[in-house]
Amino acid sequence: MSSAVPDDGWQPPPLPRRLTDPVPVILAGSVLWLAALVVLGVLLLTGARPADAWLWACVVGVGLGALGLGVLALQRRAVARGSRGAQKL
């Protein structure tokens, strides 16, 4: 009968880069918020819909996406220059 004790040195294989890269997710979310902002902006300009909370939610969504991409760019630059406090993405 074999023992079910796992090997102490075993590490799972690393995930592929496409599954750990947050940039495509941030870009997709920002594009969706931008598309909704354009639609609501057109409706606002035609007078079919007033400027309500959804319009401002879209503005904030696009802004947060841009902020997230900026933070990732700064983080990747810190990793590239070898900063000790940088998180490796």
Side-chain angles (χ1 to χ4, degrees):
M1 185 176 256
S2 68
S3 174
V5 177
D7 182 13
D8 288 333
W10 183 81
Q11 291 289 324
L15 289 172
R17 178 81 174 149
R18 67 180 178 85
L19 293 178
T20 60
D21 189 16
V23 173
V25 176
I26 295 172
L27 282 175
S30 296
V31 166
L32 290 174
W33 282 115
L34 183 62
L37 178 63
V38 168
V39 168
L40 290 174
V42 168
L43 290 174
L44 175 67
L45 292 176
T46 60
R49 184 179 174 96
D52 59 356
W54 282 109
L55 180 77
W56 300 112
C58 293
V59 170
V60 170
V62 171
L64 286 176
L67 180 68
L69 288 173
V71 167
L72 283 173
L74 289 173
Q75 190 65 35
R76 287 186 174 167
R77 270 190 252 152
V79 168
R81 72 172 179 264
S83 179
R84 288 188 326 166
Q87 297 177 3
K88 294 185 181 16
L89 299 174

